[in-house]
Amino acid sequence: LKQTFVPVLPLRRPCHPSPPRSLRMVGVKDVALPNRRRLDWVACTLLAVACCAVPFLMGSWARSSALRTDAQTEQLSVLEKVSLADIGDDPLATCNDGSPGFYYWAPSSAPSRAWLVLLGGGGWCWDAVSCKLRPPDMISSLVYPHRMVAESGGILAVTTFHRVYAPECSSDAWMGDIGGNESTEGVNWRGARILRAILKHLTTRRGFGDGDTLVFGGLSAGARGAMVHLDTLKSHGLIPQGVRLLGYLDSPYYVDMPAFANNTDTWHRVTLQTQQVVANMRNEAILRGNGTCKLPEAWHCGFGEYRVQALQTPFLLVASQYDWYGLKTAEGTVTGPDGCFPKPRCSYYSYAELFAIVTRQGLHNLSHNGRRSVGVYSSVCYNHAVSKGPFFTRESIGGVSRAGALLKALEAFDSEGATMPRIIDTSCTGLNCAPQCKAHSGLACGCPSDENMRPNPVDPGAVDGRRPRSRLGDSAGFWS
């Protein structure tokens, strides 16, 4: 798809002969009274017709055509940095290093009542040791530029939305609210408080309010944070009650898997990490949403495989069957420049297939639980949280991209009784087996017949699984 599909939602306003306030600008002071009355009557009639017709025309047109994104002008692709210190509502809404929380903002290219709030990812840390290994852009707002350029074809380039993007600088997947002086680990985890401050600013200063539509979601750790907060945004007063709310969760789907080979430590087990987060951040109240999440154990409420089953708010879940981050964490390595796992390969590929089976089965059960409000989009590509980049529009399943799936979700969301999209690629089996995958493996990789299937010790030099990679590359503002 060359452009991103996003509907212009119907305005849902009753027909009324009075023109909108912003259109009551008729310079007729010097016109004779009869002519002025005639002009007023004609103007009001035309405006009344327009007020009735425009919502219908906008809604039907949006459903049948693509909307322009950043191809309009370069300026529309730029998001401006907003520091929470300049707002002054909550001095405790801070990053790990105590610098103020922040977000990036860009208004829509035309008047709109559609909003996108996207929480950034970057993993998390669960104790003092893991937190010390995080690079500066994952713990501080000071290293971020004043402007961010949205990647062409990515979700932040959808100019029909008012767009908010909040990079994660709290290392807690937006689930923490405890200061360094309170934490047993001496770490300042304030992601949940940063989120509250951002949403308050949108409501009090940006005009976000009742009748608007909000797509609330995130990428990776940001998606897990959005997953935790989605059902409590209204009940906790974080957004107005009259907002129409849809979740967009790109890659929050942790799966409860057995350990790979001898990788039984916390660095390689997302289950252990989540349990440590609950213990050290003391965030059970946030995870449970004051009773919203009733799963047996608190850590289940922050774990993708379990929490998405309990969500009540409509949402679209994006989850690769061969999730790059999930496999990297468990296996301790990634595919090389040739697109293949290191030799001997069999243990890596057999574990990846087990991972895919567990993921696919969980997604199948989720999409067939009788709830119309659950949408699923799952590819066989070896990637993770790519909606911010061009694969939001380029990579597809059966001709439907992530952007297309979001459009379908919005259409279903706007139509009473409609079912959300459920798109799970079962056309082939194997990591990157589909032609549309950006690193399509074909027959080049896999388990050679002459290799045995014994577990393979992980080469610690293959990838440093303990030290997250910085999101700030050579070109500041372009992150993955």
Side-chain angles (χ1 to χ4, degrees):
L1 295 175
K2 293 183 178 179
Q3 298 172 327
T4 301
F5 289 94
V6 175
V8 178
L9 299 172
L11 297 180
R12 296 182 180 273
R13 296 283 179 86
C15 296
H16 196 282
S18 298
R21 183 179 303 172
S22 60
L23 296 179
R24 294 175 189 165
M25 299 175 61
V26 182
V28 290
K29 291 183 179 179
D30 298 329
V31 180
L33 187 59
N35 291 335
R36 177 176 177 176
R37 288 176 177 171
R38 187 177 296 111
L39 286 172
D40 285 348
W41 182 86
V42 171
C44 287
T45 301
L46 291 174
L47 287 169
V49 172
C51 288
C52 295
V54 166
F56 171 78
L57 293 174
M58 289 176 71
S60 60
W61 170 74
R63 284 170 173 73
S64 62
S65 64
L67 300 184
R68 290 173 292 176
T69 58
D70 55 339
Q72 288 179 307
T73 67
E74 185 177 350
Q75 290 183 342
L76 293 177
S77 296
V78 177
L79 289 79
E80 300 286 340
K81 184 180 180 181
V82 179
S83 173
L84 297 184
D86 298 335
I87 301 169
D89 289 334
D90 188 351
L92 295 181
T94 54
C95 305
N96 292 135
D97 69 343
S99 59
F102 71 110
Y103 69 92
Y104 285 95
W105 154 262
S108 62
S109 59
S112 174
R113 304 196 69 182
W115 297 71
L116 170 69
V117 173
L118 195 69
L119 305 181
W124 57 12
C125 59
W126 51 90
D127 58 18
V129 174
S130 58
C131 291
K132 286 179 181 178
L133 293 175
R134 292 175 69 78
D137 61 298
M138 292 185 178
I139 63 171
S140 176
S141 62
L142 302 180
V143 297
Y144 283 84
H146 293 296
R147 292 178 178 84
M148 171 190 169
V149 180
E151 295 183 65
S152 180
I155 192 170
L156 292 176
V158 180
T159 58
T160 23
F161 283 122
H162 301 295
R163 287 149 289 153
V164 171
Y165 176 64
E168 183 196 21
C169 66
S170 53
S171 305
D172 57 3
W174 306 90
M175 304 178 195
D177 189 8
I178 188 170
N181 59 335
E182 306 168 272
S183 165
T184 57
E185 301 299 309
V187 179
N188 185 59
W189 284 301
R190 295 289 194 182
R193 187 175 286 262
I194 293 173
L195 173 60
R196 291 196 295 268
I198 291 172
L199 294 175
K200 181 179 179 181
H201 189 241
L202 298 182
T203 303
T204 59
R205 312 283 181 88
R206 299 276 186 207
F208 175 55
D210 289 329
D212 290 346
T213 294
L214 171 62
V215 175
F216 176 76
L219 310 169
S220 188
R224 287 186 280 123
M227 171 189 73
V228 165
H229 294 286
L230 186 60
D231 280 347
T232 62
L233 292 180
K234 291 186 179 182
S235 62
H236 287 182
L238 300 181
I239 65 174
Q241 292 295 318
V243 168
R244 305 175 70 246
L245 177 62
L246 174 69
Y248 181 76
L249 311 176
D250 185 353
S251 305
Y253 199 71
Y254 276 3
V255 290
D256 194 348
M257 289 278 293
F260 172 78
N262 296 318
N263 294 348
T264 57
D265 58 88
T266 307
W267 294 97
H268 297 95
R269 302 295 308 280
V270 291
T271 51
L272 298 181
Q273 291 176 16
T274 311
Q275 292 164 18
Q276 284 289 299
V277 161
V278 178
N280 292 335
M281 295 185 194
R282 304 207 297 269
N283 63 349
E284 181 170 351
I286 293 174
L287 294 175
R288 289 198 177 278
N290 293 338
T292 302
C293 178
K294 303 182 187 303
L295 295 174
E297 298 185 52
W299 71 270
H300 288 171
C301 296
F303 197 85
E305 181 182 6
Y306 302 124
R307 184 56 183 266
V308 294
Q309 300 178 45
L311 291 178
Q312 298 301 310
T313 305
F315 67 93
L316 175 63
L317 170 66
V318 180
S320 171
Q321 296 162 46
Y322 298 89
D323 184 80
W324 173 86
Y325 184 79
L327 287 173
K328 167 186 173 289
T329 301
E331 296 183 331
T333 191
V334 294
T335 58
D338 59 353
C340 303
F341 281 119
K343 293 181 180 180
R345 299 173 181 164
C346 283
S347 56
Y348 295 118
Y349 281 100
S350 60
Y351 188 87
E353 288 308 312
L354 176 61
F355 185 99
I357 290 171
V358 172
T359 301
R360 191 161 48 241
Q361 185 61 53
L363 297 178
H364 178 82
N365 293 341
L366 180 66
S367 62
H368 290 80
N369 62 2
R371 292 171 54 196
R372 296 176 180 270
S373 61
V374 176
V376 175
Y377 186 90
S378 178
S379 77
V380 293
C381 300
Y382 181 61
N383 57 31
H384 176 80
V386 298
S387 291
K388 194 156 66 70
F391 288 96
F392 177 67
T393 50
R394 293 180 188 173
E395 192 176 272
S396 63
I397 303 171
V400 181
S401 66
R402 290 166 179 78
L406 179 56
L407 172 64
K408 291 177 180 293
L410 284 165
E411 289 177 335
F413 183 60
D414 198 38
S415 303
E416 187 175 350
T419 301
M420 297 277 277
R422 293 162 183 179
I423 305 168
I424 301 176
D425 193 351
T426 57
S427 63
C428 62
T429 301
L431 183 144
N432 279 335
C433 62
Q436 68 268 19
C437 297
K438 60 182 178 181
H440 177 47
S441 299
L443 299 176
C445 299
C447 179
S449 58
D450 58 346
E451 261 191 42
N452 62 44
M453 296 298 290
R454 66 183 184 279
N456 177 57
V458 174
D459 174 13
V463 63
D464 186 357
R466 300 189 178 192
R467 186 175 295 278
R469 183 178 60 182
S470 172
R471 291 168 297 199
L472 292 174
D474 295 333
S475 300
F478 290 85
W479 312 319
S480 59

